[in-house]
Amino acid sequence: MTDAWMTDATTPQELEHTLDAATGAFEQWSRRRPADRAPVLRAVASALEAAAPKLVVIADEETSLGQDRLRGEMVRTVFQLRLFAQVVTEGEYLRATIDPADPSWPMGPRPDLRRMLEPLGPVVVFAASNFPFAFSVAGGDTASALAAGCPVVVKAHSGHPRLSAATAEVVHGALRSAGAPEGLFDVVFGTEAGRAALTDPRVKAGAFTGSTEAGRALFDLAASRPEPIPFFGELGSVNPVFVTKAAAERRGPAIVSEFVGSFTLGAGQFCTKPGILLVPASAGLVDLLPEAVPSTPFTLLNERIRASYAGAVRELRDTAGVRVLVSGTPTAADPSPTVLRTTSAELLRDPEALVREVFGPATLVVEYAEESELLEVARVIDGQLTATVQGEDDDTIAAELIRLLAAKAGRVLWNQWPTGVSVTHAQQHGGPYPATTAPATTSVGTEAISRFLRPVAYQNVPQHLLPPALRDENPLGIPQRVS
Amino acid sequence: MTDAWMTDATTPQELEHTLDAATGAFEQWSRRRPADRAPVLRAVASALEAAAPKLVVIADEETSLGQDRLRGEMVRTVFQLRLFAQVVTEGEYLRATIDPADPSWPMGPRPDLRRMLEPLGPVVVFAASNFPFAFSVAGGDTASALAAGCPVVVKAHSGHPRLSAATAEVVHGALRSAGAPEGLFDVVFGTEAGRAALTDPRVKAGAFTGSTEAGRALFDLAASRPEPIPFFGELGSVNPVFVTKAAAERRGPAIVSEFVGSFTLGAGQFCTKPGILLVPASAGLVDLLPEAVPSTPFTLLNERIRASYAGAVRELRDTAGVRVLVSGTPTAADPSPTVLRTTSAELLRDPEALVREVFGPATLVVEYAEESELLEVARVIDGQLTATVQGEDDDTIAAELIRLLAAKAGRVLWNQWPTGVSVTHAQQHGGPYPATTAPATTSVGTEAISRFLRPVAYQNVPQHLLPPALRDENPLGIPQRVS
C-alpha cells in the first residue's frame, strides 16, 4: 500500500527535476547498444511478475475490473516487456540499410550512404483508465519507448493513482538494480503536470490511450508547440461488425452469443468493443438478443465513466429511429448491458448521430434489408481501430466489403471478434482519425517501437565512426539491407 | 509554350471537380497491383524525357537556373519515377508481415494476423520554387505518392507557372496513354486553391518543400482540420559544417575551395546549402575565403527571393558580433556571394540570432578557439537536414561530434558536402523540426513512399479474401516476413 501523498499532483519544481533527469538519461540510454537495453526491460518484467499479487489487489480496489482479468492483463504487460527485449536483441527494428558507394548509379555517382533508426528523445506517456497495467505506468507505450532508447515520463491516470505509485515503485527498483541511468523513467500526477510535460521543449513525443475529446486536446497542444512533436493518440472506435445473410442463416445463434461475450467483456470498457452489429432483418437475430444478454449489473471503472456512460446511452437512445431492445436491470450505481436497435436506412440517413462510441456495455444492432447496404455503411463510417465481417466463404459480397473496410480500419477481422488484441509482429492497433491521431503507427505489437524512432543517414562516414549497426563487419549481428 | 490562361488561379468549381475525380481515381488506383503501377510511372518518365528539351527552355526562362543544371535536374526527376517503378515491382515497401495462428503464443493463443501497408488516399503536393522539376509537378513527392497508390493534386509554385502547366500536360498525356484512371493527377494554381485542397476532407495527406514560414502555416492547417492529416513539410536548414583542427591544417585550401563550390551551387538556393562553416581561428582559413569566393553576381529565382535574400543578409550582417568578410560586386538586380564572419563565442551567446537560414548565396564563417566548442555548438543547434564534419581519421573529437550531430540532423556527412542529394535506398532527407514537420520520414529516396501508406492488419481472413501480398502462395513474389 502506498501513502496518499505520493499521488498528489506533481509540482512544477518536481516536474522540472523529472524532465531534467530524463534529458540526462537520454544521452546515456540512447547510446547503449540496443541489445544491452534488453536485460533492463526483462528486469522490469520480472519485478512486476513478483509484485503481481500485491498490485492486482490494488488495481482491483481502484478499477473494479476483477482479479482474474487483472491477472491476465499483468501477463500481457510482462509479456510485452519481454517481447521488446527480444526485438531490441534481434535488431531488425533498426532497419539498417546500406548503399555502398556506386560510381555507376544512374543519376550520378552515389556516395556511401547508411541509414538506421535512432531514438527521438524523452517521451511523455498518458496512461489509460481501462488498462491499469497494459496501457498504464509500465504498459506497451512505456515498454516500446524504453526499448527504442527513449526515457519515459508517465502521466498517471487519475482512475488508479495508488496503483500507479505502487507500480512506479516496482519499476524504479528494477531499473536501479539493473543499472539503468538515473532519470530514465518517472511518473507524474495531475492534468497540469501532463500538459506541462507535453509542451516542454525537452519532450520529443507523446503517446496516449483514452477518449477522443481528451486525446484531441493533447494532440492540439503537441501540434501547436513552437517545435511540434509527434503525438500518438489512440482515441475512439465503434468497431462495427457486418454479418452477411449466409452467416446469419447458418450460424445465427453462435454469432449472437459470441457477440454478447465480446461487447460485455470487461463491462464493455475496451476500445475494441463492437459497438455496432449489422444483421439481416430477415434472419431474426435481433429476437435472440434479449435472452442472450446478461441482465446482471456491471461495475464500471469509476464515477466519471459511469456518468458519461449513462449520458451517452441516453443520447443514443433518444436519437430518431433508435429503440431499446435490451435494458436489463441496473442498480442505482451500476448499469446492466444495453442493446439499442435501428435500421441501416436510419444509419445511412444520419451516420454522424448513430455511429458513435459508447464506452461501456452498450451496443447498437442495425437491421438491413439488402446486403448491398453493408457496402453503403462501410463507405460512410469514419476511421476505426477494427472492422469485422461475420461471413461465409462463398459470400459474393465479402471481397468488396473487406476492401472497403480496409480503407477505414486498422484491423479487419473475419469470423472472430475485435476484443482481445494479441501482441505480435503483424498486429496493427491503429487506424484513420478519429481512431487515432497517427494512422501510420500502431500502439500494440512489435511495430509500436517505431513510433519513437527517426531515421538518420550517414554519408561517407568511416567504419570506426559509424554506429555499430551500420558497420560492414556487423558487430551487432543484426539484419542489414545492403544494396 | 502554354497559354497564360491555363495558369490562372483554379476556381472553387474546378477544384471541386479535381478532388472529386481524385477520389474516384483512388478506388481504382489503390486496388491496382503495385507492380501494375510501374508501367504508368515509366510512361511518365519517358514522356518527360522526350519533352525535356522543350521543358528545360521554359524552366530556364522562369527560374534562371541555367539549362545545364535544369537538364541534370530532369535526369534526376526521370530517374526517381523509374526507381519508384522498381520499388513497387519489388514489393518490399509493402512490409508484408505474417504471423500464422499459434496456440502456444505466451500471452494466449494467437490468431492468424497479417499486415501490410496500404495507400492513404488523395495527396496534395505543394511544389517548390528551387527544384522546378525534381520537387515540383512530377517530382519526388508526386512520384512516391503515385507509386504508393495515391492520386495527386499538385499545387503549382507561383515561380514557374508556365512550366507547371507544360509539365502537367506531358504528365496527363502519358497517364492517359498508359491507362491510368481519370483524375489520378491534376495541377491547381493559386494559394487559395492549395489551402482549400489541404483542408478538404477527401484529401488524406500533404507534402511540401519550401520555407519554414509557409510550411508551418500549412502544417497548422493540416493539424487543425476536423480530421487532422499527416503533413510532410521539408522546411529550412542551416546545414552547419564542422572543420576540425587537423583537417584545417592538412586540407585547409581544399576545404575552402570545396565549401565555396557547395554554398554557391545553384546560387545557394538549395535547402542543403552549408550556411555555417566552423573553422579553427588558428588555421587562417578565413584568410583564404576572399580570394576563393567568386565575385560575379548570381541571378536568383525570382523577385520575391531576391528581396527576402537581401533582407536576410542585412539582418544577419547587422547582428552583434557579425562582420562582413566577402561582399563581392553585386549589380542592382543580382547579388554576388556574401560571406559573413563571427566567432563561436558569439554564436553560443545567441544561437537563435546567428544560426539562421539565408536562402541564397550567403554563408557565415565561425571561428573557434578550442575544438570542444564544436561540441557546444552541436548541442545548441536545432533540427537540421544535414550536418557535416570535415575531419581526419585520428581526430579524437570526431566520435562524440558525430553522435551529437546525429541527434540533430537527418543526414550526417564526413568529408563530403551536403548539396547534391542522391536518390537511393538509404538516403534520409529529413530531420527534427524546423528542418521538417515529420522527422520520422524522408522526402528523398525510396523510403519516401512510406509517407503515403498506413498499415492494415487482417485477422483470420481466408486466403481468397486476403490482398495478394499477404497470401501464403505469395502470387506477387514479394518479400514476406513470416514469424
Side-chain angles (χ1 to χ4, degrees), chain A residues 117-439:
Chain A
L117 299 185
E118 309 211 2
L120 281 181
V123 171
V124 56
V125 169
F126 292 82
S129 64
N130 59 340
F131 278 99
F133 293 123
F135 284 93
S136 190
V137 170
D141 290 335
T142 299
S144 53
L146 288 177
C150 299
V152 170
V153 177
V154 178
K155 189 268 173 187
H157 195 280
S158 58
H160 47 268
R162 284 191 296 122
L163 176 67
S164 300
T167 307
E169 204 177 311
V170 173
V171 174
H172 274 301
L175 291 175
R176 212 172 297 124
S177 336
E182 201 60 44
L184 180 63
F185 163 90
D186 211 350
V187 175
V188 300
F189 293 87
T191 307
E192 204 29 65
R195 294 170 61 98
L198 187 64
T199 51
D200 190 280
R202 288 164 290 193
V203 166
K204 298 303 181 190
F208 168 91
T209 304
S211 73
T212 304
E213 195 188 346
R216 180 63 193 252
L218 293 171
F219 169 83
D220 289 345
L221 269 186
S224 60
R225 291 166 39 128
E227 177 196 359
I229 53 171
F231 182 79
F232 306 104
E234 195 263 69
L235 314 182
S237 187
V238 177
N239 307 297
V241 178
F242 298 73
V243 184
T244 67
K245 289 195 170 180
E249 276 156 26
R250 295 180 211 169
R251 298 184 282 117
I255 289 171
V256 165
S257 142
E258 290 165 18
F259 169 67
V260 170
S262 183
F263 97 79
T264 61
L265 192 71
Q269 299 167 118
F270 286 114
C271 47
T272 53
K273 180 204 75 176
I276 281 187
L277 181 76
L278 289 133
V279 296
S282 54
L285 264 60
V286 164
D287 305 328
L288 304 175
L289 272 160
E291 201 152 322
V293 176
S295 61
T296 44
F298 285 99
T299 305
L300 300 188
L301 283 162
N302 56 55
E303 181 46 46
R304 188 149 41 139
I305 301 234
R306 266 193 296 277
S308 76
Y309 172 77
V313 168
R314 206 177 316 118
E315 209 172 325
L316 191 54
R317 191 192 61 201
D318 294 347
T319 305
V322 175
R323 285 173 296 155
V324 176
L325 180 63
V326 179
S327 60
T329 50
T331 68
D334 297 331
S336 63
T338 303
V339 183
L340 304 173
R341 67 187 290 182
T342 190
T343 65
S344 52
E346 297 284 354
L347 187 153
L348 290 165
R349 184 150 47 228
D350 191 358
E352 231 172 283
L354 291 180
V355 185
R356 278 204 305 207
E357 185 181 19
V358 176
F359 191 77
T363 196
L364 177 65
V365 178
V366 181
E367 290 184 290
Y368 66 82
E370 301 300 328
E371 273 187 338
S372 61
E373 293 163 54
L374 296 180
L375 304 181
E376 289 179 63
V377 171
R379 284 182 192 280
V380 301
I381 56 171
D382 52 13
Q384 303 291 333
L385 291 170
T386 74
T388 300
V389 180
Q390 292 286 338
E392 298 293 321
D393 276 0
D394 53 356
D395 269 324
T396 50
I397 202 174
E400 181 63 12
L401 185 56
I402 284 180
R403 291 320 299 151
L404 288 176
L405 293 177
K408 297 297 179 79
R411 179 165 53 115
V412 178
L413 299 91
W414 175 264
N415 292 350
Q416 292 188 346
W417 298 91
T419 43
V421 183
S422 191
V423 180
T424 81
H425 299 292
Q427 185 58 278
Q428 172 59 21
H429 192 62
Y433 191 88
T436 76
T437 59

Side-chain angles (χ1 to χ4, degrees), chain B residues 86-142:
Chain B
Q86 193 187 321
V87 165
V88 293
T89 304
E90 291 170 354
E92 190 180 330
Y93 84 98
L94 295 166
R95 296 216 195 108
T97 306
I98 298 177
D99 295 333
D102 180 356
S104 64
W105 189 241
M107 68 159 276
R110 180 177 80 186
D112 182 282
L113 274 166
R114 293 158 191 252
R115 188 189 61 226
M116 64 181 287
L117 299 184
E118 309 211 2
L120 282 181
V123 171
V124 56
V125 168
F126 292 82
S129 63
N130 59 340
F131 278 100
F133 293 122
F135 285 94
S136 191
V137 170
D141 291 334
T142 298

